[in-house]
Amino acid sequence: MASPTDISTIYESIIATILGIWLLLTILCQFRNTKFSGYIRHKVDVFGLIPLWTFFAPNPGKSDYHLLYRDKIDEDIHGDWEEMDITEERSLWSWCWNPDKRDKKILADVIQSLVASIPHYKGDKGYDLLMFSMPYLIVLHAVSHCKCNSGSVQRQFMLAETSGYLKETSPSVILLSVFHQI
């Protein structure tokens, strides 16, 4: 008769073998364009247990977005453009304590959603309906809560895009809003 230690050794060996096969298949299936990967994913892995890690794919970010705003001081006089921080410098303690991380992440995601939705709102009258979209309203809300230096009650925002780490190209304007009451 087998002792309890023999049975636990058998169980451990079976589990280690299963996990080893799973790890091996996961590594081999990271290469999507192979026949083996296609066969495993479509025929063998019916429960979707083999992950596919695409950290920066299929469309990696190639540009940075900048959110700027300005106030209308007088009918003909506008304030200077000020950039709203949508990213932040990482500190040594960011991994442990980063209370602004969610707000910045939400704003960055909403800006990407706004940029993606711009082509859908282009019409004969311009971007009039874009102002009623949820991403536009969220960005407007965030910009409206920035400190107002001029005592103005009207604010305009702009989305600009830069490409490359070294800022090899000059920024291009993606969206320029109308002046809104704040």
Side-chain angles (χ1 to χ4, degrees), residues 54-65 112 161-165:
T54 55
F55 296 115
F56 302 106
N59 300 317
K62 297 176 185 167
S63 59
D64 294 322
Y65 297 114
Q112 287 183 348
E161 178 180 39
T162 57
S163 298
Y165 180 72

Side-chain angles (χ1 to χ4, degrees), residues 41-59:
R41 289 206 174 283
H42 295 64
K43 302 289 184 189
V44 177
D45 188 23
V46 293
F47 296 112
L49 297 176
I50 299 177
L52 177 62
W53 292 306
T54 55
F55 296 115
F56 302 106
N59 300 317

Side-chain angles (χ1 to χ4, degrees), residues 70-74 148-155 179 182:
R70 69 178 177 177
D71 294 332
K72 189 175 197 178
I73 298 169
D74 197 344
C148 185
N149 296 329
S150 63
S152 173
V153 293
Q154 290 189 343
R155 182 162 286 168
F179 281 96
I182 55 173

Side-chain angles (χ1 to χ4, degrees), residues 46-113:
V46 293
F47 296 112
L49 297 176
I50 299 177
L52 177 62
W53 292 306
T54 55
F55 296 115
F56 302 106
N59 300 317
K62 297 176 185 167
S63 59
D64 294 322
Y65 297 114
H66 303 273
L67 180 59
L68 298 101
Y69 63 93
R70 69 178 177 177
D71 294 332
K72 189 175 197 178
I73 298 169
D74 197 344
E75 198 58 39
D76 297 325
I77 302 172
H78 302 107
D80 294 331
W81 287 104
E82 296 182 43
E83 185 169 0
M84 184 175 176
D85 285 331
I86 55 176
T87 60
E88 63 183 270
E89 293 293 323
R90 306 269 308 175
S91 69
L92 181 62
W93 295 102
S94 292
W95 65 272
C96 178
W97 179 254
N98 195 356
D100 295 331
K101 179 180 180 179
R102 288 187 181 182
D103 293 339
K104 304 259 184 198
K105 173 72 171 136
I106 289 169
L107 187 57
D109 289 348
V110 167
I111 287 172
Q112 287 183 348
S113 177

